[in-house]
Amino acid sequence: MTQPHISSPYELKSLSLRNRTVMAPMCQYAVDAKDGIPNEWHYVHYVSRAVGGTGLIIMEMTDIEPDGRITDYCLGLWSDAHIPAFKRIISEVHKHGAKIGIQIAHAGRKAEHVDQPVGPSDKAFSDAYRKPRALSTEEVLAMVGKFKDAARRAVEAGVDTIELHGAHGYLIHQFHSPLINDRTDEYGQDRALFGEQVIQAVRTVMPPDMPLIIRVSAAEYADGGYELAEVIDVFRRYRDAGADLFHVSSGGEAPVGSRKPSFHPGYQVPLARELKAALGVPVIAVGMLDDAKLAEATLAEGDADLVAVGRGMLRDPYWALHAIQANAGSDAGSVASGFIPRQYQRGY
C-alpha cells in the first residue's frame, strides 16, 4: 500500500497529528453579539473540518483585548468568560480525531472598528485606515501580559497547541518591521524584543511539552520592505525564545508596492523551505496549496513538514480527506479509510 506523505502522521512534542493537513486560521467575522465569544457558526465551522479529516485545525485570529480586534465581529480571549464556548468547540473537535489550536493576536494599527488604534508608531496602514497612537513603553509591557493571559485561557479551554500571529502586519509583525517601528526606546532599538517577550511570557503558561507555533511574514511587499535574509535573525530569536514551529506566510504589512508577488499556487513554498533550512525548525507551508498534488509535492520534497489550506477548506470541509484520496492512487480506499467517519464509509 502506497502511503502518501500527506496522510502520514506527524509528531512534535506532545502534538500528535493523524496526517499532515492543517486548516489555516481564517477570520469568519461572525460574532454577531460583538462580545468575542464563539457561537454556533464557529462550532459548526470547526467541527465539520474535524469530521472532514483535517489533522490540525487552527482557529481564526483571536484577540487579546477588545480594541485589538480587526472588527468587532472577531473572536476574543480577553476574559475568562470566553473559555466555555471555546472549550465546547475544542472538545467536539477532539471527538472526531483532529487536533486544534487557537491563533492569538492583536491587530495593532490594523484594527478597523476603534476610534484610535495603537501600534509601535503613529504610522497608519494606509490612507484608508485611522492613524494609530504609539504605545508607551509601559503599555507595550502590559500588552505582553495580555498575550500571556489569553494563552492561559486557551490552555484552560483544552487546546493542543497555540499559534501566535506574527504575520500580515498585525502587532508582533509591526514591531519587527523596520517600515513601521521607528521607536527610540528599547522596543525600537531591538525590534525582536516585543515578539521575543511575548513568546517567553506565553511559554510560562503552556505545558512544557506543548508546541508553540508562530506565524510569520517571511518577506514584505511594500517598497523598502524586508527580505527573509534581513529578518532571519529576528526569527532565530523567536526560535530561541520558545517557538517550536514556524507557519510561513508573507506580506500584509502595508499596501503592496513594486515588489508585488505573482500569487501563483505555492508561491510562498520557497520561503518556507529557506526558513526551515536557515533555522533548522519544522515549518508549515501555506498559500494557494489547494491542489492536492501540489500539497503532496511540497511535503514529498521536504519543503515543509505540514501544509495549511485556507480557501480550499472554505469551499470543501472534506478537503483533507479528498486530498488524501487524490494522492493514494490505487490504494485510495485503504489509505483514506482511516480518516472517513464510520457514518459516511458506505458513501466511499
Side-chain angles (χ1 to χ4, degrees), residues 63-65 77-79 104 106 137-153 164 171 187 194 197-205:
D63 299 287
I64 63 174
E65 64 176 5
L77 259 177
W78 60 79
S79 165
I104 296 174
H106 191 292
T137 303
E138 292 74 19
E139 288 174 321
V140 176
L141 284 169
M143 203 68 77
V144 172
K146 291 176 183 179
F147 272 94
K148 175 182 174 180
D149 291 342
R152 187 261 304 167
R153 295 180 185 111
L164 295 174
L171 192 63
Y187 291 102
F194 176 67
Q197 289 182 339
V198 169
I199 292 167
Q200 291 169 336
V202 164
R203 285 242 61 113
T204 67
V205 295

PDB file of all heavy atoms in Angstrom, residues 63-65 77-79 104 106 137-153 164 171 187 194 197-205:
ATOM      1  N   ASP A  63      -8.384  37.644  19.649  1.00  0.00           N
ATOM      2  CA  ASP A  63      -7.654  38.827  20.108  1.00  0.00           C
ATOM      3  C   ASP A  63      -7.600  38.976  21.620  1.00  0.00           C
ATOM      4  O   ASP A  63      -8.489  38.543  22.348  1.00  0.00           O
ATOM      5  CB  ASP A  63      -8.265  40.056  19.445  1.00  0.00           C
ATOM      6  CG  ASP A  63      -8.146  39.962  17.928  1.00  0.00           C
ATOM      7  OD1 ASP A  63      -7.032  40.115  17.421  1.00  0.00           O
ATOM      8  OD2 ASP A  63      -9.162  39.682  17.272  1.00  0.00           O
ATOM      9  N   ILE A  64      -6.534  39.628  22.064  1.00  0.00           N
ATOM     10  CA  ILE A  64      -6.206  39.693  23.487  1.00  0.00           C
ATOM     11  C   ILE A  64      -6.910  40.835  24.211  1.00  0.00           C
ATOM     12  O   ILE A  64      -6.893  40.884  25.440  1.00  0.00           O
ATOM     13  CB  ILE A  64      -4.688  39.806  23.684  1.00  0.00           C
ATOM     14  CG1 ILE A  64      -4.143  41.111  23.081  1.00  0.00           C
ATOM     15  CG2 ILE A  64      -3.984  38.594  23.079  1.00  0.00           C
ATOM     16  CD1 ILE A  64      -2.661  41.358  23.377  1.00  0.00           C
ATOM     17  N   GLU A  65      -7.540  41.741  23.473  1.00  0.00           N
ATOM     18  CA  GLU A  65      -8.325  42.813  24.077  1.00  0.00           C
ATOM     19  C   GLU A  65      -9.348  43.289  23.045  1.00  0.00           C
ATOM     20  O   GLU A  65      -9.145  43.110  21.836  1.00  0.00           O
ATOM     21  CB  GLU A  65      -7.444  43.969  24.549  1.00  0.00           C
ATOM     22  CG  GLU A  65      -6.694  44.709  23.464  1.00  0.00           C
ATOM     23  CD  GLU A  65      -5.914  45.894  24.017  1.00  0.00           C
ATOM     24  OE1 GLU A  65      -5.893  46.073  25.251  1.00  0.00           O
ATOM     25  OE2 GLU A  65      -5.346  46.652  23.216  1.00  0.00           O
ATOM     26  N   LEU A  77     -10.205  36.527  23.474  1.00  0.00           N
ATOM     27  CA  LEU A  77      -9.904  35.728  24.675  1.00  0.00           C
ATOM     28  C   LEU A  77      -9.392  36.659  25.770  1.00  0.00           C
ATOM     29  O   LEU A  77      -8.431  36.342  26.461  1.00  0.00           O
ATOM     30  CB  LEU A  77      -8.847  34.662  24.359  1.00  0.00           C
ATOM     31  CG  LEU A  77      -9.331  33.229  24.129  1.00  0.00           C
ATOM     32  CD1 LEU A  77      -8.163  32.320  23.755  1.00  0.00           C
ATOM     33  CD2 LEU A  77     -10.055  32.665  25.357  1.00  0.00           C
ATOM     34  N   TRP A  78     -10.047  37.781  25.927  1.00  0.00           N
ATOM     35  CA  TRP A  78      -9.598  38.760  26.926  1.00  0.00           C
ATOM     36  C   TRP A  78     -10.283  38.569  28.280  1.00  0.00           C
ATOM     37  O   TRP A  78     -10.042  39.320  29.211  1.00  0.00           O
ATOM     38  CB  TRP A  78      -9.832  40.182  26.419  1.00  0.00           C
ATOM     39  CG  TRP A  78     -11.271  40.524  26.125  1.00  0.00           C
ATOM     40  CD1 TRP A  78     -12.236  40.858  27.034  1.00  0.00           C
ATOM     41  CD2 TRP A  78     -11.900  40.562  24.846  1.00  0.00           C
ATOM     42  NE1 TRP A  78     -13.435  41.101  26.400  1.00  0.00           N
ATOM     43  CE2 TRP A  78     -13.247  40.944  25.048  1.00  0.00           C
ATOM     44  CE3 TRP A  78     -11.464  40.346  23.542  1.00  0.00           C
ATOM     45  CZ2 TRP A  78     -14.157  41.077  23.993  1.00  0.00           C
ATOM     46  CZ3 TRP A  78     -12.361  40.485  22.498  1.00  0.00           C
ATOM     47  CH2 TRP A  78     -13.685  40.850  22.727  1.00  0.00           C
ATOM     48  N   SER A  79     -11.142  37.548  28.389  1.00  0.00           N
ATOM     49  CA  SER A  79     -11.878  37.323  29.630  1.00  0.00           C
ATOM     50  C   SER A  79     -12.057  35.831  29.847  1.00  0.00           C
ATOM     51  O   SER A  79     -12.205  35.060  28.890  1.00  0.00           O
ATOM     52  CB  SER A  79     -13.250  38.004  29.565  1.00  0.00           C
ATOM     53  OG  SER A  79     -14.103  37.536  30.585  1.00  0.00           O
ATOM     54  N   ILE A 104      -3.575  33.422  18.547  1.00  0.00           N
ATOM     55  CA  ILE A 104      -3.721  34.557  19.461  1.00  0.00           C
ATOM     56  C   ILE A 104      -3.023  35.769  18.868  1.00  0.00           C
ATOM     57  O   ILE A 104      -1.897  35.670  18.360  1.00  0.00           O
ATOM     58  CB  ILE A 104      -3.148  34.193  20.841  1.00  0.00           C
ATOM     59  CG1 ILE A 104      -3.980  33.062  21.448  1.00  0.00           C
ATOM     60  CG2 ILE A 104      -3.135  35.400  21.771  1.00  0.00           C
ATOM     61  CD1 ILE A 104      -3.426  32.530  22.742  1.00  0.00           C
ATOM     62  N   HIS A 106      -3.147  40.440  18.163  1.00  0.00           N
ATOM     63  CA  HIS A 106      -3.623  41.812  18.333  1.00  0.00           C
ATOM     64  C   HIS A 106      -3.443  42.500  16.985  1.00  0.00           C
ATOM     65  O   HIS A 106      -2.376  42.400  16.375  1.00  0.00           O
ATOM     66  CB  HIS A 106      -2.821  42.542  19.411  1.00  0.00           C
ATOM     67  CG  HIS A 106      -3.398  43.862  19.831  1.00  0.00           C
ATOM     68  ND1 HIS A 106      -3.433  44.968  18.985  1.00  0.00           N
ATOM     69  CD2 HIS A 106      -3.958  44.273  21.002  1.00  0.00           C
ATOM     70  CE1 HIS A 106      -3.980  45.983  19.626  1.00  0.00           C
ATOM     71  NE2 HIS A 106      -4.317  45.593  20.851  1.00  0.00           N
ATOM     72  N   THR A 137       6.100  52.738  26.472  1.00  0.00           N
ATOM     73  CA  THR A 137       6.886  51.567  26.874  1.00  0.00           C
ATOM     74  C   THR A 137       6.135  50.733  27.901  1.00  0.00           C
ATOM     75  O   THR A 137       6.131  49.494  27.830  1.00  0.00           O
ATOM     76  CB  THR A 137       8.244  52.018  27.448  1.00  0.00           C
ATOM     77  OG1 THR A 137       8.931  52.807  26.470  1.00  0.00           O
ATOM     78  CG2 THR A 137       9.103  50.822  27.820  1.00  0.00           C
ATOM     79  N   GLU A 138       5.472  51.399  28.838  1.00  0.00           N
ATOM     80  CA  GLU A 138       4.706  50.687  29.862  1.00  0.00           C
ATOM     81  C   GLU A 138       3.537  49.936  29.237  1.00  0.00           C
ATOM     82  O   GLU A 138       3.217  48.805  29.651  1.00  0.00           O
ATOM     83  CB  GLU A 138       4.193  51.673  30.914  1.00  0.00           C
ATOM     84  CG  GLU A 138       5.271  52.307  31.775  1.00  0.00           C
ATOM     85  CD  GLU A 138       6.092  53.371  31.030  1.00  0.00           C
ATOM     86  OE1 GLU A 138       5.613  53.873  29.984  1.00  0.00           O
ATOM     87  OE2 GLU A 138       7.204  53.669  31.493  1.00  0.00           O
ATOM     88  N   GLU A 139       2.911  50.525  28.237  1.00  0.00           N
ATOM     89  CA  GLU A 139       1.790  49.861  27.571  1.00  0.00           C
ATOM     90  C   GLU A 139       2.258  48.649  26.765  1.00  0.00           C
ATOM     91  O   GLU A 139       1.535  47.653  26.653  1.00  0.00           O
ATOM     92  CB  GLU A 139       1.064  50.847  26.662  1.00  0.00           C
ATOM     93  CG  GLU A 139       0.243  51.891  27.408  1.00  0.00           C
ATOM     94  CD  GLU A 139      -0.342  52.935  26.475  1.00  0.00           C
ATOM     95  OE1 GLU A 139       0.351  53.353  25.512  1.00  0.00           O
ATOM     96  OE2 GLU A 139      -1.501  53.336  26.700  1.00  0.00           O
ATOM     97  N   VAL A 140       3.443  48.721  26.198  1.00  0.00           N
ATOM     98  CA  VAL A 140       3.986  47.570  25.480  1.00  0.00           C
ATOM     99  C   VAL A 140       4.178  46.403  26.443  1.00  0.00           C
ATOM    100  O   VAL A 140       3.806  45.260  26.152  1.00  0.00           O
ATOM    101  CB  VAL A 140       5.312  47.922  24.774  1.00  0.00           C
ATOM    102  CG1 VAL A 140       5.901  46.682  24.107  1.00  0.00           C
ATOM    103  CG2 VAL A 140       5.102  49.022  23.738  1.00  0.00           C
ATOM    104  N   LEU A 141       4.742  46.687  27.613  1.00  0.00           N
ATOM    105  CA  LEU A 141       4.919  45.642  28.621  1.00  0.00           C
ATOM    106  C   LEU A 141       3.576  45.058  29.047  1.00  0.00           C
ATOM    107  O   LEU A 141       3.451  43.833  29.238  1.00  0.00           O
ATOM    108  CB  LEU A 141       5.648  46.211  29.835  1.00  0.00           C
ATOM    109  CG  LEU A 141       7.157  46.435  29.675  1.00  0.00           C
ATOM    110  CD1 LEU A 141       7.693  47.254  30.844  1.00  0.00           C
ATOM    111  CD2 LEU A 141       7.885  45.093  29.585  1.00  0.00           C
ATOM    112  N   ALA A 142       2.578  45.904  29.190  1.00  0.00           N
ATOM    113  CA  ALA A 142       1.241  45.426  29.551  1.00  0.00           C
ATOM    114  C   ALA A 142       0.667  44.544  28.444  1.00  0.00           C
ATOM    115  O   ALA A 142      -0.040  43.558  28.720  1.00  0.00           O
ATOM    116  CB  ALA A 142       0.320  46.608  29.826  1.00  0.00           C
ATOM    117  N   MET A 143       0.974  44.855  27.189  1.00  0.00           N
ATOM    118  CA  MET A 143       0.487  44.063  26.071  1.00  0.00           C
ATOM    119  C   MET A 143       1.071  42.649  26.118  1.00  0.00           C
ATOM    120  O   MET A 143       0.391  41.673  25.809  1.00  0.00           O
ATOM    121  CB  MET A 143       0.843  44.747  24.752  1.00  0.00           C
ATOM    122  CG  MET A 143      -0.039  44.356  23.583  1.00  0.00           C
ATOM    123  SD  MET A 143      -1.743  44.940  23.730  1.00  0.00           S
ATOM    124  CE  MET A 143      -1.557  46.681  23.290  1.00  0.00           C
ATOM    125  N   VAL A 144       2.323  42.543  26.523  1.00  0.00           N
ATOM    126  CA  VAL A 144       2.943  41.222  26.691  1.00  0.00           C
ATOM    127  C   VAL A 144       2.130  40.403  27.691  1.00  0.00           C
ATOM    128  O   VAL A 144       1.840  39.213  27.478  1.00  0.00           O
ATOM    129  CB  VAL A 144       4.404  41.354  27.162  1.00  0.00           C
ATOM    130  CG1 VAL A 144       4.981  39.991  27.537  1.00  0.00           C
ATOM    131  CG2 VAL A 144       5.258  42.011  26.086  1.00  0.00           C
ATOM    132  N   GLY A 145       1.727  41.049  28.775  1.00  0.00           N
ATOM    133  CA  GLY A 145       0.920  40.357  29.781  1.00  0.00           C
ATOM    134  C   GLY A 145      -0.431  39.925  29.256  1.00  0.00           C
ATOM    135  O   GLY A 145      -0.948  38.859  29.640  1.00  0.00           O
ATOM    136  N   LYS A 146      -1.005  40.702  28.360  1.00  0.00           N
ATOM    137  CA  LYS A 146      -2.308  40.338  27.793  1.00  0.00           C
ATOM    138  C   LYS A 146      -2.186  39.126  26.868  1.00  0.00           C
ATOM    139  O   LYS A 146      -3.089  38.279  26.823  1.00  0.00           O
ATOM    140  CB  LYS A 146      -2.908  41.534  27.058  1.00  0.00           C
ATOM    141  CG  LYS A 146      -3.323  42.666  27.988  1.00  0.00           C
ATOM    142  CD  LYS A 146      -3.818  43.887  27.225  1.00  0.00           C
ATOM    143  CE  LYS A 146      -4.148  45.037  28.178  1.00  0.00           C
ATOM    144  NZ  LYS A 146      -4.621  46.249  27.456  1.00  0.00           N
ATOM    145  N   PHE A 147      -1.089  39.028  26.130  1.00  0.00           N
ATOM    146  CA  PHE A 147      -0.847  37.817  25.340  1.00  0.00           C
ATOM    147  C   PHE A 147      -0.741  36.599  26.271  1.00  0.00           C
ATOM    148  O   PHE A 147      -1.300  35.537  25.982  1.00  0.00           O
ATOM    149  CB  PHE A 147       0.436  37.957  24.524  1.00  0.00           C
ATOM    150  CG  PHE A 147       0.256  38.588  23.168  1.00  0.00           C
ATOM    151  CD1 PHE A 147       0.444  39.949  22.980  1.00  0.00           C
ATOM    152  CD2 PHE A 147      -0.083  37.811  22.066  1.00  0.00           C
ATOM    153  CE1 PHE A 147       0.287  40.526  21.725  1.00  0.00           C
ATOM    154  CE2 PHE A 147      -0.238  38.379  20.810  1.00  0.00           C
ATOM    155  CZ  PHE A 147      -0.052  39.741  20.635  1.00  0.00           C
ATOM    156  N   LYS A 148      -0.023  36.763  27.356  1.00  0.00           N
ATOM    157  CA  LYS A 148       0.140  35.673  28.325  1.00  0.00           C
ATOM    158  C   LYS A 148      -1.208  35.238  28.886  1.00  0.00           C
ATOM    159  O   LYS A 148      -1.506  34.031  28.974  1.00  0.00           O
ATOM    160  CB  LYS A 148       1.073  36.130  29.451  1.00  0.00           C
ATOM    161  CG  LYS A 148       1.231  35.129  30.583  1.00  0.00           C
ATOM    162  CD  LYS A 148       2.133  35.701  31.672  1.00  0.00           C
ATOM    163  CE  LYS A 148       2.198  34.783  32.883  1.00  0.00           C
ATOM    164  NZ  LYS A 148       3.087  35.350  33.939  1.00  0.00           N
ATOM    165  N   ASP A 149      -2.050  36.194  29.260  1.00  0.00           N
ATOM    166  CA  ASP A 149      -3.340  35.867  29.840  1.00  0.00           C
ATOM    167  C   ASP A 149      -4.232  35.140  28.828  1.00  0.00           C
ATOM    168  O   ASP A 149      -4.941  34.187  29.175  1.00  0.00           O
ATOM    169  CB  ASP A 149      -4.046  37.138  30.319  1.00  0.00           C
ATOM    170  CG  ASP A 149      -3.371  37.770  31.530  1.00  0.00           C
ATOM    171  OD1 ASP A 149      -2.586  37.076  32.207  1.00  0.00           O
ATOM    172  OD2 ASP A 149      -3.624  38.962  31.789  1.00  0.00           O
ATOM    173  N   ALA A 150      -4.208  35.574  27.576  1.00  0.00           N
ATOM    174  CA  ALA A 150      -5.004  34.910  26.549  1.00  0.00           C
ATOM    175  C   ALA A 150      -4.518  33.482  26.328  1.00  0.00           C
ATOM    176  O   ALA A 150      -5.320  32.554  26.144  1.00  0.00           O
ATOM    177  CB  ALA A 150      -4.948  35.700  25.245  1.00  0.00           C
ATOM    178  N   ALA A 151      -3.208  33.283  26.340  1.00  0.00           N
ATOM    179  CA  ALA A 151      -2.655  31.934  26.177  1.00  0.00           C
ATOM    180  C   ALA A 151      -3.077  31.032  27.332  1.00  0.00           C
ATOM    181  O   ALA A 151      -3.410  29.850  27.133  1.00  0.00           O
ATOM    182  CB  ALA A 151      -1.142  32.006  26.088  1.00  0.00           C
ATOM    183  N   ARG A 152      -3.066  31.562  28.537  1.00  0.00           N
ATOM    184  CA  ARG A 152      -3.505  30.769  29.693  1.00  0.00           C
ATOM    185  C   ARG A 152      -4.953  30.330  29.523  1.00  0.00           C
ATOM    186  O   ARG A 152      -5.312  29.176  29.796  1.00  0.00           O
ATOM    187  CB  ARG A 152      -3.329  31.617  30.962  1.00  0.00           C
ATOM    188  CG  ARG A 152      -3.591  30.861  32.266  1.00  0.00           C
ATOM    189  CD  ARG A 152      -4.986  31.123  32.812  1.00  0.00           C
ATOM    190  NE  ARG A 152      -5.241  32.539  33.014  1.00  0.00           N
ATOM    191  CZ  ARG A 152      -6.449  33.036  33.233  1.00  0.00           C
ATOM    192  NH1 ARG A 152      -7.521  32.240  33.254  1.00  0.00           N
ATOM    193  NH2 ARG A 152      -6.611  34.340  33.407  1.00  0.00           N
ATOM    194  N   ARG A 153      -5.795  31.203  29.008  1.00  0.00           N
ATOM    195  CA  ARG A 153      -7.204  30.849  28.779  1.00  0.00           C
ATOM    196  C   ARG A 153      -7.328  29.788  27.687  1.00  0.00           C
ATOM    197  O   ARG A 153      -8.172  28.895  27.768  1.00  0.00           O
ATOM    198  CB  ARG A 153      -8.001  32.102  28.421  1.00  0.00           C
ATOM    199  CG  ARG A 153      -8.069  33.115  29.564  1.00  0.00           C
ATOM    200  CD  ARG A 153      -8.872  34.360  29.212  1.00  0.00           C
ATOM    201  NE  ARG A 153      -8.787  35.309  30.314  1.00  0.00           N
ATOM    202  CZ  ARG A 153      -8.135  36.467  30.267  1.00  0.00           C
ATOM    203  NH1 ARG A 153      -7.520  36.849  29.142  1.00  0.00           N
ATOM    204  NH2 ARG A 153      -8.084  37.246  31.320  1.00  0.00           N
ATOM    205  N   LEU A 164       0.875  32.038  17.713  1.00  0.00           N
ATOM    206  CA  LEU A 164       0.961  33.497  17.821  1.00  0.00           C
ATOM    207  C   LEU A 164       0.987  34.078  16.417  1.00  0.00           C
ATOM    208  O   LEU A 164       1.691  33.573  15.540  1.00  0.00           O
ATOM    209  CB  LEU A 164       2.227  33.903  18.574  1.00  0.00           C
ATOM    210  CG  LEU A 164       2.311  33.478  20.036  1.00  0.00           C
ATOM    211  CD1 LEU A 164       3.681  33.827  20.610  1.00  0.00           C
ATOM    212  CD2 LEU A 164       1.208  34.140  20.864  1.00  0.00           C
ATOM    213  N   LEU A 171       0.221  43.082  15.208  1.00  0.00           N
ATOM    214  CA  LEU A 171       1.065  43.798  16.166  1.00  0.00           C
ATOM    215  C   LEU A 171       2.488  43.247  16.283  1.00  0.00           C
ATOM    216  O   LEU A 171       3.451  44.024  16.266  1.00  0.00           O
ATOM    217  CB  LEU A 171       0.398  43.837  17.543  1.00  0.00           C
ATOM    218  CG  LEU A 171       1.053  44.798  18.540  1.00  0.00           C
ATOM    219  CD1 LEU A 171       0.966  46.245  18.061  1.00  0.00           C
ATOM    220  CD2 LEU A 171       0.400  44.669  19.916  1.00  0.00           C
ATOM    221  N   TYR A 187      12.258  48.984  22.518  1.00  0.00           N
ATOM    222  CA  TYR A 187      11.472  48.220  21.554  1.00  0.00           C
ATOM    223  C   TYR A 187      11.683  48.705  20.116  1.00  0.00           C
ATOM    224  O   TYR A 187      11.262  48.031  19.169  1.00  0.00           O
ATOM    225  CB  TYR A 187       9.992  48.265  21.923  1.00  0.00           C
ATOM    226  CG  TYR A 187       9.693  47.503  23.193  1.00  0.00           C
ATOM    227  CD1 TYR A 187       9.498  48.174  24.397  1.00  0.00           C
ATOM    228  CD2 TYR A 187       9.641  46.115  23.195  1.00  0.00           C
ATOM    229  CE1 TYR A 187       9.245  47.480  25.573  1.00  0.00           C
ATOM    230  CE2 TYR A 187       9.392  45.411  24.363  1.00  0.00           C
ATOM    231  CZ  TYR A 187       9.195  46.100  25.548  1.00  0.00           C
ATOM    232  OH  TYR A 187       8.956  45.398  26.706  1.00  0.00           O
ATOM    233  N   PHE A 194       9.894  42.706  21.408  1.00  0.00           N
ATOM    234  CA  PHE A 194       8.486  42.521  21.767  1.00  0.00           C
ATOM    235  C   PHE A 194       8.039  41.092  21.468  1.00  0.00           C
ATOM    236  O   PHE A 194       7.482  40.409  22.340  1.00  0.00           O
ATOM    237  CB  PHE A 194       7.606  43.518  21.019  1.00  0.00           C
ATOM    238  CG  PHE A 194       6.133  43.328  21.276  1.00  0.00           C
ATOM    239  CD1 PHE A 194       5.605  43.579  22.521  1.00  0.00           C
ATOM    240  CD2 PHE A 194       5.283  42.899  20.264  1.00  0.00           C
ATOM    241  CE1 PHE A 194       4.238  43.393  22.775  1.00  0.00           C
ATOM    242  CE2 PHE A 194       3.919  42.724  20.496  1.00  0.00           C
ATOM    243  CZ  PHE A 194       3.402  42.967  21.752  1.00  0.00           C
ATOM    244  N   GLN A 197       9.599  38.665  23.927  1.00  0.00           N
ATOM    245  CA  GLN A 197       8.991  38.707  25.253  1.00  0.00           C
ATOM    246  C   GLN A 197       7.608  38.052  25.264  1.00  0.00           C
ATOM    247  O   GLN A 197       7.245  37.381  26.235  1.00  0.00           O
ATOM    248  CB  GLN A 197       8.899  40.152  25.746  1.00  0.00           C
ATOM    249  CG  GLN A 197      10.239  40.756  26.118  1.00  0.00           C
ATOM    250  CD  GLN A 197      10.107  42.185  26.649  1.00  0.00           C
ATOM    251  OE1 GLN A 197       9.107  42.862  26.397  1.00  0.00           O
ATOM    252  NE2 GLN A 197      11.107  42.634  27.383  1.00  0.00           N
ATOM    253  N   VAL A 198       6.856  38.239  24.188  1.00  0.00           N
ATOM    254  CA  VAL A 198       5.545  37.588  24.094  1.00  0.00           C
ATOM    255  C   VAL A 198       5.719  36.078  24.118  1.00  0.00           C
ATOM    256  O   VAL A 198       5.020  35.363  24.851  1.00  0.00           O
ATOM    257  CB  VAL A 198       4.795  38.044  22.826  1.00  0.00           C
ATOM    258  CG1 VAL A 198       3.560  37.172  22.593  1.00  0.00           C
ATOM    259  CG2 VAL A 198       4.381  39.509  22.944  1.00  0.00           C
ATOM    260  N   ILE A 199       6.640  35.559  23.323  1.00  0.00           N
ATOM    261  CA  ILE A 199       6.885  34.113  23.289  1.00  0.00           C
ATOM    262  C   ILE A 199       7.292  33.600  24.664  1.00  0.00           C
ATOM    263  O   ILE A 199       6.757  32.600  25.158  1.00  0.00           O
ATOM    264  CB  ILE A 199       7.960  33.787  22.235  1.00  0.00           C
ATOM    265  CG1 ILE A 199       7.414  34.070  20.827  1.00  0.00           C
ATOM    266  CG2 ILE A 199       8.416  32.334  22.348  1.00  0.00           C
ATOM    267  CD1 ILE A 199       8.485  34.076  19.753  1.00  0.00           C
ATOM    268  N   GLN A 200       8.214  34.280  25.292  1.00  0.00           N
ATOM    269  CA  GLN A 200       8.679  33.847  26.616  1.00  0.00           C
ATOM    270  C   GLN A 200       7.544  33.867  27.638  1.00  0.00           C
ATOM    271  O   GLN A 200       7.424  32.941  28.457  1.00  0.00           O
ATOM    272  CB  GLN A 200       9.824  34.745  27.079  1.00  0.00           C
ATOM    273  CG  GLN A 200      11.108  34.569  26.275  1.00  0.00           C
ATOM    274  CD  GLN A 200      12.138  35.639  26.572  1.00  0.00           C
ATOM    275  OE1 GLN A 200      11.808  36.743  27.025  1.00  0.00           O
ATOM    276  NE2 GLN A 200      13.402  35.337  26.301  1.00  0.00           N
ATOM    277  N   ALA A 201       6.706  34.892  27.587  1.00  0.00           N
ATOM    278  CA  ALA A 201       5.601  35.000  28.541  1.00  0.00           C
ATOM    279  C   ALA A 201       4.567  33.899  28.306  1.00  0.00           C
ATOM    280  O   ALA A 201       4.069  33.274  29.258  1.00  0.00           O
ATOM    281  CB  ALA A 201       4.952  36.374  28.430  1.00  0.00           C
ATOM    282  N   VAL A 202       4.240  33.667  27.045  1.00  0.00           N
ATOM    283  CA  VAL A 202       3.252  32.650  26.706  1.00  0.00           C
ATOM    284  C   VAL A 202       3.737  31.260  27.111  1.00  0.00           C
ATOM    285  O   VAL A 202       2.962  30.440  27.620  1.00  0.00           O
ATOM    286  CB  VAL A 202       2.933  32.725  25.197  1.00  0.00           C
ATOM    287  CG1 VAL A 202       2.218  31.475  24.706  1.00  0.00           C
ATOM    288  CG2 VAL A 202       2.093  33.969  24.903  1.00  0.00           C
ATOM    289  N   ARG A 203       5.013  31.001  26.946  1.00  0.00           N
ATOM    290  CA  ARG A 203       5.548  29.682  27.296  1.00  0.00           C
ATOM    291  C   ARG A 203       5.383  29.395  28.784  1.00  0.00           C
ATOM    292  O   ARG A 203       5.237  28.231  29.181  1.00  0.00           O
ATOM    293  CB  ARG A 203       7.029  29.590  26.917  1.00  0.00           C
ATOM    294  CG  ARG A 203       7.273  29.442  25.430  1.00  0.00           C
ATOM    295  CD  ARG A 203       7.983  28.126  25.118  1.00  0.00           C
ATOM    296  NE  ARG A 203       7.204  26.983  25.526  1.00  0.00           N
ATOM    297  CZ  ARG A 203       6.663  26.099  24.666  1.00  0.00           C
ATOM    298  NH1 ARG A 203       6.791  26.254  23.371  1.00  0.00           N
ATOM    299  NH2 ARG A 203       5.989  25.061  25.112  1.00  0.00           N
ATOM    300  N   THR A 204       5.375  30.422  29.630  1.00  0.00           N
ATOM    301  CA  THR A 204       5.267  30.192  31.074  1.00  0.00           C
ATOM    302  C   THR A 204       3.906  29.649  31.481  1.00  0.00           C
ATOM    303  O   THR A 204       3.774  29.092  32.582  1.00  0.00           O
ATOM    304  CB  THR A 204       5.550  31.478  31.878  1.00  0.00           C
ATOM    305  OG1 THR A 204       4.517  32.443  31.630  1.00  0.00           O
ATOM    306  CG2 THR A 204       6.909  32.061  31.539  1.00  0.00           C
ATOM    307  N   VAL A 205       2.887  29.815  30.634  1.00  0.00           N
ATOM    308  CA  VAL A 205       1.544  29.327  30.972  1.00  0.00           C
ATOM    309  C   VAL A 205       1.140  28.132  30.116  1.00  0.00           C
ATOM    310  O   VAL A 205       0.010  27.641  30.222  1.00  0.00           O
ATOM    311  CB  VAL A 205       0.499  30.446  30.854  1.00  0.00           C
ATOM    312  CG1 VAL A 205       0.763  31.534  31.878  1.00  0.00           C
ATOM    313  CG2 VAL A 205       0.454  31.039  29.450  1.00  0.00           C
TER     314      VAL A 205
END
